[in-house]
Amino acid sequence: MASPLHLLVIDLETRPDAIILPADRDPAAFPKPIQHEIITLGFLLARIDRDGQSERYSIRKVGSASIADRGEREILAGFWQMVDRNRPRVVTWNGRGFDAAVLKQRSLIHGLTAYNWHRTDPRFGYDYRFQTEWHCDLMDVLCDYGASPRLGLDEAAQALGLPGKWNGHGAEVMDLVAAGDYPAINRYCEGDVLNTYVLYLRWAHLSTRLSARGHNASVQNLLNYLEAGQEKNPHWKEFTDLWQSSERPCPLFVNEPLGEPGPQSLESHLRSEDVMP
């Protein structure tokens, strides 16, 4: 069976589509996904390098696509082309509840085709909720698919020592749209993408996709990439400065044991401590 070649972390900023909103809708109700027009699609694309059973990631590009530069149809078509071309594992935060639903439902409006999304492993592919190989909705996974309370991105990020939503909040997006400040929306969206990516690295280490060395190498690769681009993207420097100044237990790197135990050596250790029967 084919495996993902890349990691693609995405986040959307949207506004209500006044043209298709019902006239009698409750103004306090949150519009349904199909009723959200995309303003910005933020993304991080990284190559998946494999070392035996472990992975590590190398950043290829961090950026955003905005309606200030192109139409919604072009943003959507570009996303599906990115999926077709790079065959990525898509990572989202509440993506099944919102982002992926917006992408698919708005694509209906524009008459687009999402080829690889539906042809890649049709049974356990992007739309299969309980498999993280092709689409990992990190919030859904961390909350055990609804068994525990929903966790906000800002809450999770700050708990780990990440900046969280230091440069804006979703409630401010409409004011920024009204002011025509699309660069600020892009910066905010990219901030959410960066938080989501680092949270994914920590979860990938917890779930044994990444060894400690693979996790730390992936973090260092991200730091190097952001440092190289910080002159043109000052918000990347803000992110790394806040992250590196955190006093949380291990905001950047995890401990690297001299020999990372595999299943047998871990079992032997537990038996030696008389923990296992």
Side-chain angles (χ1 to χ4, degrees):
M1 184 180 297
S3 297
L5 301 177
H6 293 85
L7 202 68
L8 178 60
V9 185
I10 61 167
D11 182 68
L12 296 181
E13 303 306 327
T14 66
R15 65 182 172 192
D17 187 342
I19 295 175
I20 63 173
L21 282 173
D24 58 349
R25 66 178 284 268
D26 178 359
F30 191 68
K32 295 181 179 180
I34 201 169
Q35 299 165 343
H36 281 263
E37 181 184 14
I38 296 172
I39 298 172
T40 296
L41 188 154
F43 64 91
L44 179 153
L45 182 66
R47 186 180 70 247
I48 298 176
D49 299 315
R50 289 183 169 82
D51 180 14
Q53 294 184 340
S54 296
E55 298 178 348
R56 66 177 61 191
Y57 312 123
S58 301
I59 305 294
R60 289 184 55 192
K61 188 172 183 179
V62 176
S64 51
S66 168
I67 61 166
D69 306 310
R70 67 204 78 191
E72 184 187 49
R73 187 184 193 283
E74 189 178 351
I75 292 173
L76 287 163
F79 171 75
W80 299 123
Q81 288 166 10
M82 191 181 299
V83 171
D84 288 347
R85 184 169 56 248
N86 295 289
R87 210 173 76 199
R89 176 183 307 140
V90 174
V91 178
T92 61
W93 189 274
N94 190 34
R96 294 193 183 279
F98 185 73
D99 303 76
V102 170
L103 289 166
K104 290 186 288 185
Q105 293 178 26
R106 294 298 292 189
S107 292
L108 292 176
I109 294 174
H110 294 286
L112 296 171
T113 297
Y115 186 84
N116 274 5
W117 188 276
H118 295 100
R119 294 298 184 100
T120 299
D121 195 359
R123 184 179 180 188
F124 298 111
Y126 289 103
D127 286 329
Y128 186 66
R129 184 180 186 185
F130 304 107
Q131 169 61 264
T132 58
E133 180 71 358
W134 291 102
H135 178 192
C136 176
D137 180 342
L138 195 51
M139 188 205 76
D140 205 24
V141 173
L142 289 173
C143 297
D144 286 320
Y145 306 103
S148 66
R150 288 168 62 93
L151 181 63
L153 176 61
D154 191 48
E155 295 172 312
Q158 292 200 34
L160 268 67
L162 287 159
K165 293 181 179 289
W166 91 98
N167 64 345
H169 291 274
E172 301 166 358
V173 168
M174 288 304 297
D175 290 337
L176 293 172
V177 171
D181 194 351
Y182 291 100
I185 298 172
N186 295 346
R187 293 192 295 270
Y188 164 63
C189 190
E190 289 178 23
D192 278 359
V193 167
L194 292 173
N195 281 294
T196 302
Y197 178 59
V198 181
L199 284 165
Y200 178 81
L201 294 181
R202 190 60 60 87
W203 174 80
H205 173 54
L206 172 69
S207 61
T208 72
R209 283 189 185 276
L210 290 178
S211 67
R213 291 185 181 87
H215 171 279
N216 292 345
S218 300
V219 167
Q220 188 61 57
N221 174 265
L222 173 64
L223 291 171
N224 293 344
Y225 181 92
L226 297 180
E227 182 180 6
Q230 66 186 20
E231 185 174 344
K232 292 183 178 180
N233 303 277
H235 58 296
W236 293 2
K237 185 177 188 305
E238 293 173 11
F239 179 88
T240 55
D241 285 349
L242 289 169
W243 183 20
Q244 291 174 315
S245 65
S246 171
E247 296 182 355
R248 301 301 296 163
C250 51
L252 275 79
F253 303 110
V254 298
N255 290 334
E256 294 186 22
L258 292 176
E260 297 195 63
Q264 281 198 326
S265 58
L266 177 59
E267 181 179 346
S268 299
H269 170 72
L270 291 172
R271 288 188 182 279
S272 68
E273 295 295 324
D274 293 324
V275 175
M276 296 183 69

